[in-house]
Amino acid sequence: MASSTSHTPTSLLILLSFLSLFCSLQAATAAGTVGVNYGRIADDLPSPAKVVELLKTQGITRVKLYDTSSDVLTALAGSGIAVTVALPNELLSDTAADQSFADDWVHANISQFYPATQIESIAVGNEVFVDPKNTTPFLVPAMKNVYNALVKHNLTSIKISSPIALSALQSSYPASSGSFKPDLIEPVIKPMLSFLNQTGSYLMVNAYPFFAYEANADQISLDYALFKPNSGVVDSGNGLKYYSLLDAQLDAVYAAMSAIQYDAVKMVVTETGWPSLGDSNEVGASQANAQSYNGNLVNRVLTGNGTPLRPNEPLDVFLFALFNENKKPGPTSERNYGLFYPSEQKVYDITFTTSSSGSNNQAAPPAASGGEGDDDGEGVSKASNAGQTWCVANGKAGEEKLQKGIDYACGEGGADCRPIQEGATCFDPDTLEAHASYAFNSYYQKQQRGTGTCDFGGAAYVVTQAPSKSLPPRSSVKLIFSW
C-alpha cells in the first residue's frame, strides 16, 4: 500500500484515465459473432453450391438451417462455415416417443455429414410454444433423446437447444420485470433450462424489435429500435439505461431465467432482422430501416460487450434472413427480410465486419477553438495513419465539461457506454474522469479516430502510448485505488 502514497494527484488522474482505457480495450475483446439464417421457402433461389460461395465471399462464417437438407449439408462440407441444423416440429412427437427414432435421425442427418460439414448445434423444433399443433409436451423429451443419440455417436460437442419466441414471456417491460408465462414454467421451461445447464448448452431466442416497434410506434423511438444514437431508456426496476430495444428484449429473457434461478444459462439470438418492404399498415418496414437495423447490429455485435444486465456475455446473433423468400405466406414483410435477392444482389449494402455501414456514422462534437484542441486534431490525423492512438479525458477540464462530454458521447454520439454502468465490467474505478475516458475513447474509436473526434470542448486529448505498456498489472492498479 506504500506505493499509493508516492502518486501525486496528477499522476493518479493519469492512471485513472489509462485504467478506464485499458478496461475499454479488455472489454472490446469480448466480441460476439454474426451468422445468417438460410431459409428456402422459395422457388427461385440459387443452388446450394452457389449459396456457399456467396457466404464465403461475404465473410459469413456461421449459418443456420431449418432442416437437414442433404444437398445443403453436402455443399457446406469443407467450407469452414459453422452450421446449425434443425429437427422440425413435425418430428418432435416421434423423436420424444422413441429413442431409436432419434438414433436413426442423428445417424442419417448428422453423423453422415460431420465433421466434413461443421455442424455446431441442433435446433430441436422452432418456436414450439406457439405451434398450433401443440407439440410443447414433446419438446424436452425429444431434446433429451437427440442428445442421447449424439452421445452414442460420440458427438457431444454438438449443442442441443430449441429457439423460443418472445411470446413465451408473460412480462417484458421493463426488462427487469421479465418473466415466463406461468403455464409454461413447470411443464417445459424449467426442464428445458435444466437440460441446457446440464449439457453446457444455451437458450436459443428469436427476437424482433420490428414487431414491438410496429405495434407501438407512437411510444417507441425508431432510433431506439434501430441502434441509432438516442437518449436512452432507464429501467425503473434496476436503474440500468438501455440504448437499444433489442438489448432490453434480451435482458427481459435473462430476467425471466433469473426469476426461476437459472442465471447461468447463456443465450444465442437465433433470429433477428428487419423487413425491407411491408404492407401499408406495417409501420417501419423499409429498405432504409432494414439497412440501419442490420448494419448497426453487426457493428454492435462485433465491437463487443453484452447487454446491460449481462455486460460480460458476448452477443451471438443470426440475422434473418439470407434471401427474400417468395413463397412465404403472410404479410408482405414476411417475403422481404432478406439481405440478398435470389439473384445474389444485395437488397441494401451492409458488410459483416466492424467497419459495417455508413448508417452508423455520427457527426463529431464541435471542437474547441484554440488551446489543446488544435494540437489534438493534428495528433489524431497523424496517429490515425499509424492506427495507434487513444482518446482520454483531460482532468483539468473540470467536472462540467467532462459530464457534458459523457452526455454527448453516450447519447447523440452513439458510444457504447454500457460497460461503465453500475455493476458492469468497467464501472470501477467509479470516477467521473475514468468514465469519461471510457466514453470518449469508445466514441473516438467508433469514429475511426477521425480528426476532431477527440476533443469534447477541450475535455479530452489523444495519447499514442498503448495502455498495456503504461499500466502496472491490473491487480496492482486495483490495490492502488483501493487505498
Side-chain angles (χ1 to χ4, degrees), residues 8 10 40 53 85 114-115 131 134 162 169 199 215 223 304 317 320 398-399 421 453 455 457 460 464 466 469 480:
T8 65
T10 300
R40 304 193 320 281
E53 287 306 310
V85 299
Y114 184 90
D131 186 348
N134 191 29
S162 184
L169 298 180
T199 59
D223 287 344
V317 306
F320 185 86
E399 291 187 1
Q421 294 190 50
T453 59
D455 183 83
T464 58
K469 297 178 181 178
I480 289 171

PDB file of all heavy atoms in Angstrom, residues 8 10 40 53 85 114-115 131 134 162 169 199 215 223 304 317 320 398-399 421 453 455 457 460 464 466 469 480:
ATOM      1  N   THR A   8       1.272  11.452  -7.025  1.00  0.00           N
ATOM      2  CA  THR A   8       0.681  12.779  -6.877  1.00  0.00           C
ATOM      3  C   THR A   8      -0.730  12.736  -7.418  1.00  0.00           C
ATOM      4  O   THR A   8      -1.099  11.831  -8.165  1.00  0.00           O
ATOM      5  CB  THR A   8       1.491  13.805  -7.690  1.00  0.00           C
ATOM      6  OG1 THR A   8       1.367  13.472  -9.069  1.00  0.00           O
ATOM      7  CG2 THR A   8       2.949  13.811  -7.284  1.00  0.00           C
ATOM      8  N   THR A  10      -2.001  14.404  -9.790  1.00  0.00           N
ATOM      9  CA  THR A  10      -1.972  14.420 -11.248  1.00  0.00           C
ATOM     10  C   THR A  10      -1.694  13.032 -11.797  1.00  0.00           C
ATOM     11  O   THR A  10      -2.345  12.567 -12.738  1.00  0.00           O
ATOM     12  CB  THR A  10      -0.899  15.397 -11.751  1.00  0.00           C
ATOM     13  OG1 THR A  10      -1.214  16.705 -11.276  1.00  0.00           O
ATOM     14  CG2 THR A  10      -0.862  15.403 -13.269  1.00  0.00           C
ATOM     15  N   ARG A  40     -35.395 -21.438 -47.124  1.00  0.00           N
ATOM     16  CA  ARG A  40     -35.523 -21.808 -48.537  1.00  0.00           C
ATOM     17  C   ARG A  40     -36.983 -21.984 -48.961  1.00  0.00           C
ATOM     18  O   ARG A  40     -37.291 -22.839 -49.804  1.00  0.00           O
ATOM     19  CB  ARG A  40     -34.726 -23.095 -48.813  1.00  0.00           C
ATOM     20  CG  ARG A  40     -33.256 -22.991 -48.424  1.00  0.00           C
ATOM     21  CD  ARG A  40     -32.402 -24.123 -48.967  1.00  0.00           C
ATOM     22  NE  ARG A  40     -33.043 -25.414 -48.906  1.00  0.00           N
ATOM     23  CZ  ARG A  40     -33.141 -26.175 -47.813  1.00  0.00           C
ATOM     24  NH1 ARG A  40     -32.663 -25.732 -46.668  1.00  0.00           N
ATOM     25  NH2 ARG A  40     -33.722 -27.347 -47.870  1.00  0.00           N
ATOM     26  N   GLU A  53     -20.696 -20.285 -51.861  1.00  0.00           N
ATOM     27  CA  GLU A  53     -19.718 -19.333 -52.383  1.00  0.00           C
ATOM     28  C   GLU A  53     -20.085 -17.900 -51.997  1.00  0.00           C
ATOM     29  O   GLU A  53     -19.217 -17.084 -51.682  1.00  0.00           O
ATOM     30  CB  GLU A  53     -19.622 -19.461 -53.909  1.00  0.00           C
ATOM     31  CG  GLU A  53     -18.905 -20.711 -54.357  1.00  0.00           C
ATOM     32  CD  GLU A  53     -17.522 -20.850 -53.731  1.00  0.00           C
ATOM     33  OE1 GLU A  53     -16.732 -19.878 -53.781  1.00  0.00           O
ATOM     34  OE2 GLU A  53     -17.242 -21.917 -53.152  1.00  0.00           O
ATOM     35  N   VAL A  85     -28.290 -26.921 -37.585  1.00  0.00           N
ATOM     36  CA  VAL A  85     -29.349 -27.605 -38.322  1.00  0.00           C
ATOM     37  C   VAL A  85     -30.586 -27.695 -37.442  1.00  0.00           C
ATOM     38  O   VAL A  85     -30.557 -27.327 -36.267  1.00  0.00           O
ATOM     39  CB  VAL A  85     -28.904 -29.012 -38.770  1.00  0.00           C
ATOM     40  CG1 VAL A  85     -27.697 -28.925 -39.696  1.00  0.00           C
ATOM     41  CG2 VAL A  85     -28.594 -29.903 -37.561  1.00  0.00           C
ATOM     42  N   TYR A 114     -20.947 -34.979 -40.560  1.00  0.00           N
ATOM     43  CA  TYR A 114     -19.956 -34.453 -39.624  1.00  0.00           C
ATOM     44  C   TYR A 114     -18.731 -35.363 -39.593  1.00  0.00           C
ATOM     45  O   TYR A 114     -18.879 -36.585 -39.626  1.00  0.00           O
ATOM     46  CB  TYR A 114     -20.588 -34.362 -38.230  1.00  0.00           C
ATOM     47  CG  TYR A 114     -19.705 -33.734 -37.172  1.00  0.00           C
ATOM     48  CD1 TYR A 114     -19.742 -32.370 -36.954  1.00  0.00           C
ATOM     49  CD2 TYR A 114     -18.852 -34.516 -36.405  1.00  0.00           C
ATOM     50  CE1 TYR A 114     -18.943 -31.796 -35.979  1.00  0.00           C
ATOM     51  CE2 TYR A 114     -18.046 -33.946 -35.435  1.00  0.00           C
ATOM     52  CZ  TYR A 114     -18.093 -32.595 -35.222  1.00  0.00           C
ATOM     53  OH  TYR A 114     -17.296 -32.014 -34.269  1.00  0.00           O
ATOM     54  N   PRO A 115     -17.504 -34.841 -39.562  1.00  0.00           N
ATOM     55  CA  PRO A 115     -17.118 -33.438 -39.354  1.00  0.00           C
ATOM     56  C   PRO A 115     -16.825 -32.657 -40.628  1.00  0.00           C
ATOM     57  O   PRO A 115     -16.438 -31.503 -40.540  1.00  0.00           O
ATOM     58  CB  PRO A 115     -15.848 -33.585 -38.530  1.00  0.00           C
ATOM     59  CG  PRO A 115     -15.198 -34.810 -39.075  1.00  0.00           C
ATOM     60  CD  PRO A 115     -16.335 -35.738 -39.422  1.00  0.00           C
ATOM     61  N   ASP A 131     -46.701 -23.319 -31.568  1.00  0.00           N
ATOM     62  CA  ASP A 131     -47.072 -24.267 -32.619  1.00  0.00           C
ATOM     63  C   ASP A 131     -48.551 -24.650 -32.454  1.00  0.00           C
ATOM     64  O   ASP A 131     -48.946 -25.174 -31.408  1.00  0.00           O
ATOM     65  CB  ASP A 131     -46.195 -25.524 -32.507  1.00  0.00           C
ATOM     66  CG  ASP A 131     -46.419 -26.504 -33.656  1.00  0.00           C
ATOM     67  OD1 ASP A 131     -47.400 -26.347 -34.412  1.00  0.00           O
ATOM     68  OD2 ASP A 131     -45.608 -27.442 -33.785  1.00  0.00           O
ATOM     69  N   ASN A 134     -49.709 -28.032 -30.993  1.00  0.00           N
ATOM     70  CA  ASN A 134     -49.488 -28.341 -29.577  1.00  0.00           C
ATOM     71  C   ASN A 134     -48.402 -29.399 -29.376  1.00  0.00           C
ATOM     72  O   ASN A 134     -48.614 -30.443 -28.762  1.00  0.00           O
ATOM     73  CB  ASN A 134     -50.793 -28.801 -28.916  1.00  0.00           C
ATOM     74  CG  ASN A 134     -50.678 -28.869 -27.405  1.00  0.00           C
ATOM     75  OD1 ASN A 134     -49.906 -28.119 -26.800  1.00  0.00           O
ATOM     76  ND2 ASN A 134     -51.430 -29.758 -26.791  1.00  0.00           N
ATOM     77  N   SER A 162     -33.400 -25.194 -28.394  1.00  0.00           N
ATOM     78  CA  SER A 162     -34.651 -25.001 -29.136  1.00  0.00           C
ATOM     79  C   SER A 162     -35.015 -23.525 -29.112  1.00  0.00           C
ATOM     80  O   SER A 162     -35.116 -22.924 -28.027  1.00  0.00           O
ATOM     81  CB  SER A 162     -35.782 -25.819 -28.512  1.00  0.00           C
ATOM     82  OG  SER A 162     -36.968 -25.703 -29.283  1.00  0.00           O
ATOM     83  N   LEU A 169     -42.802 -14.974 -22.970  1.00  0.00           N
ATOM     84  CA  LEU A 169     -42.736 -14.133 -21.780  1.00  0.00           C
ATOM     85  C   LEU A 169     -44.113 -13.622 -21.383  1.00  0.00           C
ATOM     86  O   LEU A 169     -44.906 -13.195 -22.227  1.00  0.00           O
ATOM     87  CB  LEU A 169     -41.802 -12.949 -22.015  1.00  0.00           C
ATOM     88  CG  LEU A 169     -40.334 -13.260 -22.304  1.00  0.00           C
ATOM     89  CD1 LEU A 169     -39.554 -11.968 -22.503  1.00  0.00           C
ATOM     90  CD2 LEU A 169     -39.715 -14.083 -21.185  1.00  0.00           C
ATOM     91  N   THR A 199     -26.039 -29.840 -19.915  1.00  0.00           N
ATOM     92  CA  THR A 199     -25.276 -30.212 -21.111  1.00  0.00           C
ATOM     93  C   THR A 199     -24.353 -29.090 -21.599  1.00  0.00           C
ATOM     94  O   THR A 199     -23.707 -29.236 -22.638  1.00  0.00           O
ATOM     95  CB  THR A 199     -26.237 -30.609 -22.254  1.00  0.00           C
ATOM     96  OG1 THR A 199     -27.103 -29.508 -22.561  1.00  0.00           O
ATOM     97  CG2 THR A 199     -27.076 -31.819 -21.866  1.00  0.00           C
ATOM     98  N   ALA A 215     -46.042  -2.328 -33.479  1.00  0.00           N
ATOM     99  CA  ALA A 215     -47.251  -2.309 -32.653  1.00  0.00           C
ATOM    100  C   ALA A 215     -47.310  -1.096 -31.720  1.00  0.00           C
ATOM    101  O   ALA A 215     -48.387  -0.765 -31.210  1.00  0.00           O
ATOM    102  CB  ALA A 215     -47.330  -3.590 -31.835  1.00  0.00           C
ATOM    103  N   ASP A 223     -35.226   5.440 -33.506  1.00  0.00           N
ATOM    104  CA  ASP A 223     -33.779   5.399 -33.289  1.00  0.00           C
ATOM    105  C   ASP A 223     -33.414   4.350 -32.246  1.00  0.00           C
ATOM    106  O   ASP A 223     -32.409   3.644 -32.376  1.00  0.00           O
ATOM    107  CB  ASP A 223     -33.261   6.773 -32.836  1.00  0.00           C
ATOM    108  CG  ASP A 223     -33.249   7.797 -33.963  1.00  0.00           C
ATOM    109  OD1 ASP A 223     -33.351   7.383 -35.135  1.00  0.00           O
ATOM    110  OD2 ASP A 223     -33.140   8.999 -33.670  1.00  0.00           O
ATOM    111  N   GLY A 304     -18.115  -5.842 -29.485  1.00  0.00           N
ATOM    112  CA  GLY A 304     -18.004  -6.416 -28.149  1.00  0.00           C
ATOM    113  C   GLY A 304     -19.031  -5.934 -27.153  1.00  0.00           C
ATOM    114  O   GLY A 304     -19.839  -5.055 -27.420  1.00  0.00           O
ATOM    115  N   VAL A 317     -25.466 -13.607 -32.708  1.00  0.00           N
ATOM    116  CA  VAL A 317     -26.752 -13.460 -33.383  1.00  0.00           C
ATOM    117  C   VAL A 317     -26.725 -14.109 -34.769  1.00  0.00           C
ATOM    118  O   VAL A 317     -25.676 -14.220 -35.401  1.00  0.00           O
ATOM    119  CB  VAL A 317     -27.163 -11.981 -33.538  1.00  0.00           C
ATOM    120  CG1 VAL A 317     -27.152 -11.265 -32.198  1.00  0.00           C
ATOM    121  CG2 VAL A 317     -26.269 -11.253 -34.523  1.00  0.00           C
ATOM    122  N   PHE A 320     -31.886 -12.683 -39.762  1.00  0.00           N
ATOM    123  CA  PHE A 320     -32.929 -13.281 -40.581  1.00  0.00           C
ATOM    124  C   PHE A 320     -33.270 -12.280 -41.689  1.00  0.00           C
ATOM    125  O   PHE A 320     -33.748 -11.185 -41.408  1.00  0.00           O
ATOM    126  CB  PHE A 320     -34.166 -13.585 -39.739  1.00  0.00           C
ATOM    127  CG  PHE A 320     -35.238 -14.306 -40.486  1.00  0.00           C
ATOM    128  CD1 PHE A 320     -35.222 -15.686 -40.588  1.00  0.00           C
ATOM    129  CD2 PHE A 320     -36.254 -13.599 -41.116  1.00  0.00           C
ATOM    130  CE1 PHE A 320     -36.208 -16.350 -41.292  1.00  0.00           C
ATOM    131  CE2 PHE A 320     -37.232 -14.253 -41.829  1.00  0.00           C
ATOM    132  CZ  PHE A 320     -37.212 -15.633 -41.917  1.00  0.00           C
ATOM    133  N   GLY A 398     -12.369  20.089 -15.855  1.00  0.00           N
ATOM    134  CA  GLY A 398     -13.442  20.344 -14.897  1.00  0.00           C
ATOM    135  C   GLY A 398     -14.617  19.404 -15.071  1.00  0.00           C
ATOM    136  O   GLY A 398     -14.851  18.857 -16.154  1.00  0.00           O
ATOM    137  N   GLU A 399     -15.362  19.213 -13.977  1.00  0.00           N
ATOM    138  CA  GLU A 399     -16.453  18.248 -13.970  1.00  0.00           C
ATOM    139  C   GLU A 399     -17.552  18.589 -14.974  1.00  0.00           C
ATOM    140  O   GLU A 399     -18.122  17.704 -15.609  1.00  0.00           O
ATOM    141  CB  GLU A 399     -17.051  18.143 -12.568  1.00  0.00           C
ATOM    142  CG  GLU A 399     -16.117  17.494 -11.553  1.00  0.00           C
ATOM    143  CD  GLU A 399     -16.798  17.259 -10.221  1.00  0.00           C
ATOM    144  OE1 GLU A 399     -18.005  17.588 -10.109  1.00  0.00           O
ATOM    145  OE2 GLU A 399     -16.137  16.747  -9.296  1.00  0.00           O
ATOM    146  N   GLN A 421     -21.754   1.343 -16.702  1.00  0.00           N
ATOM    147  CA  GLN A 421     -22.892   1.438 -15.808  1.00  0.00           C
ATOM    148  C   GLN A 421     -22.591   0.670 -14.523  1.00  0.00           C
ATOM    149  O   GLN A 421     -21.770  -0.246 -14.501  1.00  0.00           O
ATOM    150  CB  GLN A 421     -24.146   0.867 -16.466  1.00  0.00           C
ATOM    151  CG  GLN A 421     -24.601   1.675 -17.673  1.00  0.00           C
ATOM    152  CD  GLN A 421     -25.958   1.236 -18.164  1.00  0.00           C
ATOM    153  OE1 GLN A 421     -26.895   1.114 -17.391  1.00  0.00           O
ATOM    154  NE2 GLN A 421     -26.067   0.983 -19.457  1.00  0.00           N
ATOM    155  N   THR A 453     -12.330  14.261 -33.471  1.00  0.00           N
ATOM    156  CA  THR A 453     -13.278  13.428 -32.721  1.00  0.00           C
ATOM    157  C   THR A 453     -12.802  13.109 -31.315  1.00  0.00           C
ATOM    158  O   THR A 453     -13.483  12.406 -30.573  1.00  0.00           O
ATOM    159  CB  THR A 453     -13.572  12.110 -33.478  1.00  0.00           C
ATOM    160  OG1 THR A 453     -12.350  11.378 -33.668  1.00  0.00           O
ATOM    161  CG2 THR A 453     -14.217  12.392 -34.822  1.00  0.00           C
ATOM    162  N   ASP A 455     -11.911  15.616 -28.676  1.00  0.00           N
ATOM    163  CA  ASP A 455     -11.739  16.971 -28.170  1.00  0.00           C
ATOM    164  C   ASP A 455     -12.752  17.266 -27.086  1.00  0.00           C
ATOM    165  O   ASP A 455     -12.403  17.593 -25.972  1.00  0.00           O
ATOM    166  CB  ASP A 455     -11.860  17.988 -29.302  1.00  0.00           C
ATOM    167  CG  ASP A 455     -11.616  19.393 -28.796  1.00  0.00           C
ATOM    168  OD1 ASP A 455     -10.438  19.798 -28.684  1.00  0.00           O
ATOM    169  OD2 ASP A 455     -12.607  20.075 -28.459  1.00  0.00           O
ATOM    170  N   GLY A 457     -14.754  19.726 -26.535  1.00  0.00           N
ATOM    171  CA  GLY A 457     -14.642  21.061 -25.964  1.00  0.00           C
ATOM    172  C   GLY A 457     -13.454  21.231 -25.047  1.00  0.00           C
ATOM    173  O   GLY A 457     -13.512  21.986 -24.078  1.00  0.00           O
ATOM    174  N   ALA A 460     -10.840  16.358 -23.650  1.00  0.00           N
ATOM    175  CA  ALA A 460     -10.159  15.117 -23.996  1.00  0.00           C
ATOM    176  C   ALA A 460      -8.940  15.410 -24.844  1.00  0.00           C
ATOM    177  O   ALA A 460      -8.823  16.480 -25.446  1.00  0.00           O
ATOM    178  CB  ALA A 460     -11.112  14.185 -24.757  1.00  0.00           C
ATOM    179  N   THR A 464      -0.632   8.385 -27.576  1.00  0.00           N
ATOM    180  CA  THR A 464      -0.091   7.463 -28.575  1.00  0.00           C
ATOM    181  C   THR A 464       0.592   6.250 -27.967  1.00  0.00           C
ATOM    182  O   THR A 464       1.095   5.401 -28.697  1.00  0.00           O
ATOM    183  CB  THR A 464       0.927   8.190 -29.471  1.00  0.00           C
ATOM    184  OG1 THR A 464       1.973   8.716 -28.645  1.00  0.00           O
ATOM    185  CG2 THR A 464       0.269   9.313 -30.242  1.00  0.00           C
ATOM    186  N   ALA A 466       0.252   2.813 -25.894  1.00  0.00           N
ATOM    187  CA  ALA A 466      -0.771   1.838 -25.550  1.00  0.00           C
ATOM    188  C   ALA A 466      -0.883   1.683 -24.046  1.00  0.00           C
ATOM    189  O   ALA A 466       0.123   1.619 -23.350  1.00  0.00           O
ATOM    190  CB  ALA A 466      -0.435   0.487 -26.182  1.00  0.00           C
ATOM    191  N   LYS A 469       1.190  -0.821 -22.063  1.00  0.00           N
ATOM    192  CA  LYS A 469       2.593  -0.524 -21.810  1.00  0.00           C
ATOM    193  C   LYS A 469       2.747   0.523 -20.709  1.00  0.00           C
ATOM    194  O   LYS A 469       3.834   0.757 -20.221  1.00  0.00           O
ATOM    195  CB  LYS A 469       3.252   0.003 -23.094  1.00  0.00           C
ATOM    196  CG  LYS A 469       3.271  -1.014 -24.223  1.00  0.00           C
ATOM    197  CD  LYS A 469       3.883  -0.413 -25.470  1.00  0.00           C
ATOM    198  CE  LYS A 469       3.885  -1.418 -26.627  1.00  0.00           C
ATOM    199  NZ  LYS A 469       4.428  -0.846 -27.859  1.00  0.00           N
ATOM    200  N   ILE A 480      -3.837   0.053  -5.791  1.00  0.00           N
ATOM    201  CA  ILE A 480      -3.537   1.479  -5.707  1.00  0.00           C
ATOM    202  C   ILE A 480      -4.808   2.272  -5.413  1.00  0.00           C
ATOM    203  O   ILE A 480      -4.841   3.136  -4.568  1.00  0.00           O
ATOM    204  CB  ILE A 480      -2.893   1.973  -7.014  1.00  0.00           C
ATOM    205  CG1 ILE A 480      -1.479   1.413  -7.141  1.00  0.00           C
ATOM    206  CG2 ILE A 480      -2.869   3.496  -7.064  1.00  0.00           C
ATOM    207  CD1 ILE A 480      -0.846   1.665  -8.491  1.00  0.00           C
TER     208      ILE A 480
END
